[in-house]
């Protein structure tokens, strides 16, 4: 307050000195007519009004009128006026000065208001941009008070949502606005301003429906800007609610899809070895069999039990990979080691498919878990064998590209269309045209993808309908981050 009074007195003083300087110049040296003096004094009044306000301008109008009368209207150096027309000139000068001051003050206020609205529009644009670039719209609701306070240079902000009955604050220490005041403001439709604490409370309306309120502390923001902020906040809140609902729906839909896929896998894959084992056991118990037939039954039981164990092992491995609970034994190995181990584990699954291995001896060693990468190659070989006609070759090749070692497994099967290519690495997914013809659970490629990504690599498939597919996984030549 003292500083404001001080600056006001300084402005009055500067106005008086400027007027005295003009009068001195015109009275002592530049002897001009009264019209020139009056116009010069009016210019000074307009300048003061445009820059400092109406009070200084009116003060200067009366002071200029007195100086004009004393120094330039006859009789000079007296405050009396001899001729009637000079009274008219003096009155016209005074009225013109006051009116011009009011017009200049109005223009100044309008310019000030325009600049203020421009700043608020820029801040609203910045606020909306911050809302748009926020990736997680649910977290956006938590950050809205801090965004409001930061954008409009406020001491603090708080937001209350009726649906959640929760208050969000720009900082944990901001307590200028109580939760009770925010709740009361949420049920009103008018702005509330507490001058003592410089607190403004505004309801958040979505159309005509109140959904919450906002409380701010600090420099006054125009009601229009506050309404715009609350409108944007209402949109963000509804968007967050819609995303949350959509997320639940998508999660439920994905859960249903996985459940159906798992049931389908159990029905068409796990039931087969159980049926074979049950039939073999029944035959051993009831039918009269010789030693050779009993040996065949035992072999069936052993093979199907091993197959069942492999299926259960894949399910457990997929669960570990999803939970990120695997531990990689990373050491330098050549890709040929992984390929040889994978082919040895195939257990005769490649008898009807000649395998052409094209691995140059110049390939560098890569740090990876030998057992895990061998499983990746094994899954890709099993996939190629299942979806390729008997007798068609399978090709294994590798090369260094972009500081990565890329290994490919190519087949001559029916290929994968563009739609299935997007889902082929999903858990339990099997090709639409091969689902009931080819045995499998749809976990092999998902496991391969999870293992490769755990090594910091990538896996992809390229395919041409009727000409086969190429599955390629790439591992970085540098040591993967632990």
């Amino acid at each position: 307050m003292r500083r404001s009074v001080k600056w006001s007195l300084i402005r009055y003083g500067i106005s008086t000195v400027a007027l005295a300087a003009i009068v001195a110049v015109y009275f002592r040296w530049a002897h001009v007519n009264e019209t020139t003096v009056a116009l010069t004094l009016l210019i000074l009044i307009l300048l003061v009004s445009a820059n400092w306000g109406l009070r200084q301008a009116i003060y200067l109008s009366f002071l200029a009128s007195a100086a004009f009368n004393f120094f330039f209207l006859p009789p000079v150096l007296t405050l009396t006026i001899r001729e009637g027309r000079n009274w008219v000139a003096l009155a016209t000068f005074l009225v013109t000065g006051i009116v011009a001051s009011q017009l200049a003050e109005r223009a100044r206020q309008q310019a000030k208001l325009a600049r203020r609205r421009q700043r608020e529009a820029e801040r609203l644009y910045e606020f909306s941009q911050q809302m748009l670039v926020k990736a997680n719209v649910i977290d956006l609701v938590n950050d809205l008070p801090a965004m409001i306070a930061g954008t409009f240079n406020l001491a603090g902000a708080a937001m209350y949502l009726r649906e959640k009955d929760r208050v969000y604050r720009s900082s944990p220490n901001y307590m200028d606005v109580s939760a009770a005041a925010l709740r009361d403001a949420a049920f009103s439709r008018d702005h509330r301003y507490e001058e003592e604490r410089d607190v403004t409370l505004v309801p958040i309306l979505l159309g005509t429906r109140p959904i919450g309120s906002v409380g701010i502390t600090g420099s006054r923001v125009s009601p229009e800007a506050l309404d715009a902020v609350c409108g944007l906040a209402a949109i963000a809140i509804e968007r967050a609610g819609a995303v949350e609902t959509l997320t639940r729906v998508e999660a439920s839909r994905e859960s249903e899809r996985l459940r159906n896929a798992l049931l389908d896998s159990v029905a068409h894959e796990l039931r087969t070895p159980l049926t074979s084992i049950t039939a073999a056991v029944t035959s051993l118990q009831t039918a009269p069999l010789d030693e050779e037939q009993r040996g065949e039954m035992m072999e069936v039981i052993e093979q199907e039990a091993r197959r069942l164990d492999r299926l259960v092992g894949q399910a457990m491995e997929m669960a570990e990979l999803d939970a990120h609970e695997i531990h990689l034994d990373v050491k330098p190995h050549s890709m040929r080691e992984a390929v040889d181990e994978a082919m040895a584990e195939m257990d005769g699954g490649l008898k009807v498919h000649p395998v052409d291995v094209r691995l140059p001896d110049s390939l560098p060693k890569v740090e990876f878990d030998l057992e895990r990468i061998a499983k990746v190659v094994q899954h890709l070989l099993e996939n190629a064998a299942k979806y390729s006609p008997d007798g068609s070759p399978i090709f294994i090749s590798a090369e260094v590209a972009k500081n990565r070692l890329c290994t490919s497994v190519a087949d001559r099967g029916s290929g994968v269309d563009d739609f299935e290519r997007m889902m082929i690495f999903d858990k339990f997914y099997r090709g639409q045209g091969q689902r009931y013809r080819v045995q499998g659970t749809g976990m092999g490629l998902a496991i391969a993808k999870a293992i490769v990504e755990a090594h910091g690599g990538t896996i992809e498939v390229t395919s041409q309908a009727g000409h086969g597919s190429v599955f390629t996984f790439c591992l970085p030549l540098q040591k993967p981050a632990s």
Side-chain angles (χ1 to χ4, degrees):
M1 187 67 180
R2 292 180 180 178
R3 184 177 180 181
S4 177
V5 172
K6 179 181 178 181
W7 276 110
S8 180
L9 293 175
I10 291 175
R11 289 170 180 174
Y12 281 115
I14 293 174
S15 301
T16 304
V17 171
L19 176 64
I22 293 174
V23 170
V25 169
Y26 282 154
F27 185 74
R28 288 183 174 273
W29 298 287
H31 300 287
V32 296
N33 57 32
E34 293 87 351
T35 303
T36 302
V37 175
L39 291 176
T40 305
L41 295 178
L42 283 176
I43 291 174
L44 177 62
I45 293 171
L46 289 175
L47 289 175
V48 170
S49 177
N51 290 279
W52 290 341
L54 185 61
R55 292 183 179 180
Q56 285 85 356
I58 292 178
Y59 160 77
L60 192 59
S61 297
F62 281 100
L63 186 62
S65 299
F68 183 60
N69 178 23
F70 188 80
F71 290 100
F72 301 101
L73 290 181
V76 178
L77 299 179
T78 63
L79 291 176
T80 60
I81 298 177
R82 183 176 300 170
E83 299 181 9
R85 62 186 181 89
N86 289 337
W87 281 104
V88 175
L90 182 62
T92 302
F93 176 80
L94 180 60
V95 172
T96 302
I98 294 175
V99 172
S101 299
Q102 291 178 335
L103 294 176
E105 172 67 10
R106 186 180 301 174
R108 190 176 71 90
Q109 292 295 336
Q110 290 178 350
K112 183 179 179 181
L113 180 61
R115 288 193 299 269
R116 178 182 176 184
R117 289 178 176 175
Q118 179 184 357
R119 287 194 301 269
E120 289 182 344
E122 292 172 351
R123 289 173 176 175
L124 285 172
Y125 176 76
E126 179 184 351
F127 178 65
S128 63
Q129 288 293 101
Q130 292 178 1
M131 290 175 54
L132 290 175
V133 300
K134 204 74 173 180
N136 193 330
V137 293
I138 298 177
D139 291 341
L140 172 63
V141 176
N142 296 318
D143 297 338
L144 271 176
M147 292 168 56
I148 294 172
T151 303
F152 291 92
N153 297 324
L154 303 174
M159 182 176 67
Y160 168 72
L161 297 184
R162 291 179 56 187
E163 183 178 357
K164 298 181 180 295
D165 193 26
R166 181 180 174 185
V167 176
Y168 304 86
R169 299 184 184 275
S170 57
S171 66
N173 299 326
Y174 175 71
M175 292 295 174
D176 291 356
V177 183
S178 64
L182 287 168
R183 289 189 181 93
D184 293 340
F187 291 93
S188 67
R189 295 186 178 273
D190 300 324
H191 294 206
R192 299 181 185 176
Y193 177 65
E194 300 179 10
E195 188 173 357
E196 295 181 358
R197 297 188 301 156
D198 195 19
V199 169
T200 305
L201 297 171
V202 186
I204 300 177
L205 302 176
L206 187 65
T208 58
R209 178 168 61 92
I211 62 175
S213 62
V214 170
I216 62 172
T217 303
S219 58
R220 293 291 305 278
V221 183
S222 69
E224 295 80 8
L226 286 176
D227 288 336
V229 168
C230 291
L232 291 172
I235 295 173
I237 293 166
E238 286 299 301
R239 183 181 169 210
V243 169
E244 191 174 1
T245 302
L246 181 62
T247 301
R248 288 197 298 266
V249 172
E250 288 295 328
S252 176
R253 186 181 302 169
E254 181 66 13
S255 176
E256 183 69 16
R257 187 186 73 82
L258 290 176
R259 186 181 69 85
N260 293 335
L262 181 59
L263 290 176
D264 180 71
S265 175
V266 170
H268 292 88
E269 187 66 15
L270 298 181
R271 180 182 292 179
T272 303
L274 290 174
T275 302
S276 299
I277 292 172
T278 303
V281 171
T282 302
S283 298
L284 288 172
Q285 290 176 341
T286 59
L289 303 174
D290 55 27
E291 288 300 323
E292 183 179 356
Q293 290 174 328
R294 293 177 66 86
E296 291 177 355
M297 291 296 102
M298 293 299 294
E299 185 178 354
V300 169
I301 293 174
E302 183 181 358
Q303 289 178 353
E304 296 301 328
R306 190 182 300 117
R307 179 180 168 191
L308 187 61
D309 180 69
R310 184 170 63 254
L311 294 174
V312 174
Q314 286 183 355
M316 294 177 63
E317 185 178 16
M318 191 72 251
E320 290 177 356
L321 291 169
D322 282 345
H324 303 285
E325 294 179 352
I326 62 170
H327 301 283
L328 300 178
D329 183 16
V330 178
K331 295 179 181 178
H333 296 283
S334 66
M335 188 53 64
R336 183 172 292 276
E337 294 179 68
V339 172
D340 291 342
E341 184 171 329
M343 294 182 65
E345 291 290 332
M346 287 297 291
D347 194 21
L350 297 174
K351 289 182 179 180
V352 296
H353 295 279
V355 180
D356 185 0
V357 181
R358 302 173 180 176
L359 299 177
D361 295 333
S362 60
L363 290 176
K365 289 188 176 182
V366 183
E367 293 193 352
F368 57 77
D369 187 320
L370 178 59
E371 182 181 354
R372 300 283 186 179
I373 295 300
K375 284 189 177 182
V376 172
V377 178
Q378 181 181 345
H379 286 308
L380 296 182
L381 288 173
E382 288 178 349
N383 185 77
K386 288 179 182 178
Y387 294 96
S388 300
D390 292 347
S392 62
I394 297 175
F395 303 91
I396 302 177
S397 60
E399 63 177 353
V400 176
K402 297 181 180 178
N403 203 29
R404 300 182 302 169
L405 179 62
C406 296
T407 306
S408 300
V409 176
D411 60 56
R412 292 292 181 265
S414 59
V416 181
D417 61 31
D418 292 338
F419 176 74
E420 290 188 323
R421 197 180 306 167
M422 296 184 297
M423 301 181 292
I424 198 168
F425 292 104
D426 291 350
K427 293 188 292 290
F428 308 117
Y429 181 80
R430 291 186 292 148
Q432 298 289 342
Q434 312 290 338
R435 176 168 296 181
Y436 301 106
R437 185 181 68 83
V438 179
Q439 293 181 347
T441 60
M443 289 189 292
L445 293 179
I447 291 174
K449 180 176 184 289
I451 292 174
V452 171
E453 291 181 347
H455 283 78
T458 59
I459 187 170
E460 60 183 10
V461 58
T462 58
S463 182
Q464 185 177 2
H467 294 81
S469 305
V470 180
F471 287 83
T472 303
F473 67 93
C474 298
L475 300 177
L477 293 180
Q478 294 86 359
K479 182 179 180 180
S482 57

